Amino acid sequence: MYKILICDDDHDIVSALKIYLTSEGYQTVEAYNGQEALDAVERLSPSLIITDLKMPRMDGIEMLRRLREAGNPVYVIILTAYDSFTYAQSALRLGAVDFLLKPFHDGELEQAVRNLQSRMQTSEPVHGIPGLKKGDKSKYVLEAMDYIGAHYNDPGITVGSIAQSLGISEGHLSHMFKKETDYTLLNYLTRYRIHKSMELLRDCRRKVYEVAELVGYKDVTYFSATFKKVVGISPSEYQDTCP
């Protein structure tokens, strides 16, 4: 079970987030300023921090900066009422995985957490679906994930080609994959490609169109739109946040 630290000086927001995340099966921890969050991280080692920016004693950016200085790679989603990309850049430079403006709309936090799960999934070995162990998945699902890991840069990869390579029907594979991982095959492929593109974009010498081609996209415009939908900012904006 994922342990999520919620940090916000607004008790109503903390309460609402706790209710939602608990209902989704997450274990939650509460903090009301950056210093309390640092103390909680040291004691409890959460997998994710969802934090406000403006808080008493210590704000979210300073808290995140201290975590990174201490070598802590914990995932962070920033919540803020300030519609300013300057804040987003500061947070992203420090490794925040998403940035939500308050008041966020229905589904936005859920999507951010799902995006994070996808990133955690693709930053681990190919079999690393959150909440599942290797033994929890069938042979064909594991083989499909391996196939995507080996062929994600092929622009012609399809659900049909994956199923054909495994010798089973497209419908059967799609049903099993969704049932066992909670991802469709195409969604998993997209998340895998975007994760790989983020790694490549950290090399500022690479052009966006080059990265698009390297992860299997022929159309750079479509790649950019997909990247922004998953990550929250465009590939060029993401590249600007890299050291």
Side-chain angles (χ1 to χ4, degrees):
M1 178 184 293
Y2 285 116
K3 187 181 298 179
I4 299 179
L5 171 61
I6 306 165
C7 183
D8 198 307
D9 61 326
D10 187 323
H11 287 238
D12 290 338
I13 289 177
V14 171
S15 178
L17 291 177
K18 181 177 180 179
I19 291 170
Y20 163 72
L21 292 168
T22 301
S23 72
E24 292 292 310
Y26 299 103
Q27 181 180 350
T28 61
V29 182
E30 302 166 36
Y32 298 95
N33 59 62
Q35 186 59 60
E36 288 184 7
L38 289 178
D39 295 341
V41 169
E42 185 174 349
R43 294 194 319 270
L44 303 168
S45 300
S47 302
L48 166 64
I49 299 173
I50 300 175
T51 183
D52 190 18
L53 282 183
K54 187 178 180 182
M55 296 179 290
R57 294 188 62 187
M58 184 186 297
D59 64 23
I61 295 295
E62 176 64 15
M63 180 262 290
L64 183 51
R65 185 184 67 78
R66 294 195 186 189
L67 285 171
R68 299 313 185 218
E69 286 179 350
N72 191 317
V74 63
Y75 290 94
V76 177
I77 293 174
I78 294 289
L79 304 175
T80 182
Y82 295 93
D83 189 0
S84 168
F85 189 65
T86 301
Y87 283 95
Q89 285 181 312
S90 298
L92 289 167
R93 286 192 186 101
L94 291 167
V97 296
D98 215 333
F99 187 87
L100 298 179
L101 293 173
K102 295 191 290 186
F104 43 88
H105 302 293
D106 290 345
E108 289 184 346
L109 177 63
E110 178 182 2
Q111 186 61 50
V113 173
R114 287 185 179 275
N115 288 349
L116 170 64
Q117 288 181 323
S118 176
R119 183 174 300 193
M120 294 175 75
Q121 158 199 322
T122 52
S123 65
E124 298 170 354
V126 175
H127 299 300
I129 292 289
L132 295 176
K133 298 178 181 179
K134 185 175 180 180
D136 294 327
K137 296 183 287 298
S138 66
K139 169 189 172 184
Y140 288 122
V141 170
L142 294 175
E143 289 180 351
M145 295 167 74
D146 282 339
Y147 187 91
I148 288 173
H151 299 88
Y152 68 91
N153 56 349
D154 177 3
I157 188 174
T158 63
V159 175
S161 67
I162 297 170
Q164 184 177 13
S165 75
L166 303 183
I168 63 173
S169 73
E170 181 177 334
H172 185 48
L173 177 60
S174 296
H175 174 74
M176 284 195 301
F177 200 92
K178 175 67 174 176
K179 180 180 179 181
E180 294 182 27
T181 70
D182 203 33
Y183 295 92
T184 67
L185 272 163
L186 288 180
N187 183 255
Y188 182 88
L189 172 62
T190 297
R191 305 293 179 179
Y192 197 97
R193 282 172 161 171
I194 295 303
H195 171 75
K196 291 296 182 182
S197 72
M198 292 171 73
E199 292 179 350
L200 293 168
L201 286 166
R202 292 188 186 114
D203 181 351
C204 294
R205 295 169 297 180
R206 293 189 185 274
K207 305 296 184 184
V208 171
Y209 73 87
E210 294 174 335
V211 172
E213 292 176 357
L214 288 170
V215 297
Y217 289 93
K218 292 181 178 179
D219 185 339
V220 66
T221 302
Y222 179 70
F223 164 69
S224 296
T226 303
F227 187 99
K228 186 169 185 177
K229 183 178 180 180
V230 173
V231 180
I233 57 176
S234 71
S236 57
E237 289 172 332
Y238 178 79
Q239 202 165 42
D240 288 342
T241 69
C242 297

